[in-house]
Structures are given as C-alpha cells and as structure tokens.
Amino acid sequence: MIQVSIDKKVREWEEAGLLDEVTGQRLVEYEHKKLAVGDKREHKPPILVIIGSILLALSLFSFVAANWQAIPDLVKVAIFLVFMVGMYVTAERLQVKASRYVTLFRLLGVAFFVATMIVIFSTYNLSSQIPFLFWLFLAVAVMHKLIFKHPIFTFLAALAAFLAITNSFQGIGITLIAFGLIVTWVWFHYGDNELDRIFAWFGFYGLLITIGQYADYEGRFWPLWTLAALHVLFLVYQERAQWNYLYLFVAAVLSIGYLINATEGWLSQRTPSVIEATILSVVLVAVYLLHRRPDLMWVSLLAVIPFSLFEDSGILLAILLEAVALAYLVYQDHNRKPIVLAFIYFLLVQMTIYFIYVWDKLDISLFFLIGALIVFALSLALWWRSRSRTTRGDAQT
C-alpha cells in the first residue's frame, strides 16, 4: 500500500509546486528501497526455527543410526533414496527463489546417491564390486557436469576418476573396463572446457594402465606402450594442438617414475626383451614422425628408455633424463618459448636424482649449486653463440 500512496502523494505535491521533480523521484526511490528491505526481513525465518530444524534433523539421524541394524534392508535403501530425491527437488524449487543454493543441493544429491550405493553394496555383501561403485560415481559426476555446466562437477568427476582408477589396480573385469572407457570418452568428447578434457585424458591413461594389470603383463614397458597408444586421440582430435603439451608433461612424469621404480627394484624382475624394446622404440619415434609437431619430439626421446632399463641400477636412465631435461630447457629458452613446464621438469629430475643417488653423499645446497652453474654455463654459451651470429650479420629471427 505504501508504494501506491507515495507515488500518488508525490505526484500531487509536484503538481501543487511543493516539490521539484528530482526531489520527488528521490523520495519515491527511498520508500521503495525501505519497503523492499522490510519485505525481505519479513520473509526471513526466525533464528529459533533454523536451530530447531537443525536439532530435528540431528535427532532423526541419531535415531536411524541407533536402530540401523533393526531396520529392514529395503527401508535402509529407501531412506537414502528419499533424501537424495529431496535434495534434487529442493534444488529445482530454489532455482527461482535462491539460485545461489542450487549447486549446493545438487552436490548433496550426489552425496546421497553415493551414500545410497554404499548402503546397497554393504547390505547385499557386494564388497568385491567396490571398483564398480567408484565408476558409477564418475558416471554420475560426468552427467551432472554435462547437464548443469558447473565447474565444481569437473573437479568432482576428477576425484571420482582418481578413486576409480586407483581402486581398480587389484583387478578389473572387461565389462568394467568397457564401461569406464565409454564414460571417460563421453567426458572427453562432450566436455565444454579444457579442464574437462585434461582430466579425461588422464582417465584414459589410467584405464589403459589398469588393462595391463588385467592382462597380467609382466614386462617393464607397459606405461610406455600406453603413452604411445594414446596418440590416437591426436589423430581423431587433430585441431586441439594444446594436447601436445599435456602429452609431453605425462611423458616427462612417466620418465621420472621409471627412474624411481628402476632404482627401487619393484619393476618386473624378468629381463627386458630386446625385441620388445626395439619395437617400442620404433613406435615412440613413429609418433613424432606421424604428427610432425615439435613438442612431440621430446616424447620420441623416450625411445631410449627401454634400452636404458637393461641396466638395473638406473644410472644410465638418470644420465638420459638429465640430458633430456637440460636439452628441453635450453631448446625452449633458445626459441623464446614458454619454459615453465621445462623448468618444472628439470627441477623434478634434479630432486629425483638427488634423493636416489646423493642423499647421504652430498649436501643439497651444493648439489643445486652445481646444477645452477651448469644451467648458467649453457645459457652463456647460447648467448655467446647468438651474439656471434649477430655480429656476422646472419642472425635468425
């Protein structure tokens, strides 16, 4: 009522010459704002109602927990299903009234879905199928990401993929592998941002590693075979050139992992096959020759790793990785390209070599001082070479 009366009164006062138009407009705006604040306060639930609701919810959960064993199995599942449906219904009803809480209730819906699955798996003694639970979690998270387009579901899917892959190392059936590949491909293909595709790409890599476990592969080269097989994604999605950097990053981390594993001795004790090592090296080089992209050249250098693993102490592999890390860093710097990944890789290689070989023999500060001097010496050599070319007039752009 105040909104109608103030408009009418201000009009009358303006017509009578008691108010100018600007002052009248300010009066109307002030009263409207005051009315809106009053309405908002009237619709806020009293604090005692909020506290009472929380206590009621806690009492219900406590009652269910205390009598859990006596509750029939179907009722247990039904309780969590009701809560799950309630979260989604609440989220839909809040879309207009309080949209900022919608995503929270959808996350609670996912949480109650997982809780429902846990109840089903534990009630019906399906503990041996735990990997399937995590893959279901991934499928639900991906579905939420594709439908609701919120980045929080990207990270939820990444967490689910990590749990699914790490819990599948002990054994995974061919049906579950196929299900995981389908879900991951949907995530990769229909994801609407680069972060989705990055996490999905790592999901593919992890799944292929688990296939090696499933097939009882006993060689040392399965992660490298996996990396080579993933180049198929480059063939299908050739327009996404940024995948080169991710491919390179995974290859770099993989090489460091090989260095650690070779020295720890948990890799297969079976002597590597010269024939397999030769074929794998040819495949890794072919990856670069097939795509002809400079960034993949560093992946092809992994072709030397199969032969370096014939020496079980890891010294040969350490020398190789040190040379590759330095060469990559120098190459990026010399060509004025981003050196962040190259620098991180170089530091990781140095740390790995230090902790494996010289932890008890050399102070860490001296070790990094030597590495810094090597880098500075190489930088000085490159600068002198570039300067010499410039003075001769044959500088390159």
Side-chain angles (χ1 to χ4, degrees), residues 217-226 258 268 270-284 303 305-307 310:
Y217 174 82
E218 296 182 354
R220 299 185 176 189
F221 305 139
W222 183 253
L224 281 174
W225 282 115
T226 298
Y258 262 124
S268 171
R270 183 171 68 88
T271 303
S273 167
V274 176
I275 297 176
E276 183 185 5
T278 303
I279 295 174
L280 177 57
S281 299
V282 171
V283 170
L284 288 169
I305 286 183
F307 295 101
F310 281 87

Side-chain angles (χ1 to χ4, degrees), residues 81-281:
L81 280 175
V82 168
F83 276 108
M84 181 187 73
V85 174
M87 293 301 108
Y88 287 110
V89 171
T90 304
E92 293 304 315
R93 292 180 64 86
L94 288 176
Q95 271 192 313
V96 177
K97 296 180 180 180
S99 58
R100 61 184 179 276
Y101 297 116
V102 170
T103 302
L104 173 62
F105 278 93
R106 285 172 179 162
L107 283 172
L108 290 173
V110 175
F112 275 106
F113 167 80
V114 175
T116 304
M117 292 297 103
I118 292 175
V119 170
I120 292 174
F121 275 63
S122 60
T123 301
Y124 296 99
N125 298 319
L126 300 175
S127 56
S128 60
Q129 303 295 325
I130 288 298
F132 182 61
L133 171 62
F134 290 110
W135 288 109
L136 277 177
F137 180 26
L138 173 61
V140 170
V142 170
M143 180 183 69
H144 280 68
K145 170 60 186 178
L146 298 180
I147 294 175
F148 301 120
K149 309 292 183 183
H150 196 285
I152 190 65
F153 295 115
T154 293
F155 294 99
L156 194 67
L159 173 64
F162 175 78
L163 293 173
I165 291 169
T166 53
N167 281 276
S168 298
F169 282 150
Q170 300 303 321
I172 183 172
I174 191 67
T175 303
L176 204 53
I177 290 175
F179 178 73
L181 286 173
I182 292 172
V183 172
T184 308
W185 176 81
V186 169
W187 190 17
F188 181 88
H189 184 77
Y190 294 102
D192 57 358
N193 61 54
E194 234 23 75
L195 200 58
D196 281 294
R197 298 189 184 106
I198 288 174
F199 285 133
W201 197 91
F202 278 108
F204 278 122
Y205 184 76
L207 264 172
L208 292 179
I209 293 294
T210 60
I211 290 176
Q213 299 285 333
Y214 174 76
D216 293 328
Y217 174 82
E218 296 182 354
R220 299 185 176 189
F221 305 139
W222 183 253
L224 281 174
W225 282 115
T226 298
L227 197 64
L230 278 176
H231 88 285
V232 174
L233 289 178
F234 289 100
L235 295 176
V236 178
Y237 300 94
Q238 293 184 16
E239 73 281 2
R240 298 173 184 172
Q242 63 272 19
W243 286 106
N244 296 344
Y245 294 99
L246 181 63
Y247 203 74
L248 171 64
F249 178 73
V250 174
V253 174
L254 174 65
S255 61
I256 294 174
Y258 262 124
L259 177 57
I260 296 173
N261 297 332
T263 55
E264 291 294 330
W266 67 264
L267 283 173
S268 171
Q269 298 303 312
R270 183 171 68 88
T271 303
S273 167
V274 176
I275 297 176
E276 183 185 5
T278 303
I279 295 174
L280 177 57
S281 299

Side-chain angles (χ1 to χ4, degrees), residues 364-386:
I364 190 169
S365 59
L366 181 59
F367 179 78
F368 280 108
L369 175 62
I370 294 172
L373 292 176
I374 293 174
V375 173
F376 284 137
L378 289 171
S379 299
L380 180 62
L382 285 174
W383 172 79
W384 185 263
R385 180 169 173 267
S386 177

Side-chain angles (χ1 to χ4, degrees), residues 302-319:
L302 293 178
V304 190
I305 286 183
F307 295 101
S308 65
L309 290 178
F310 281 87
E311 197 274 317
D312 289 332
S313 69
I315 297 293
L316 183 61
L317 181 58
I319 295 173

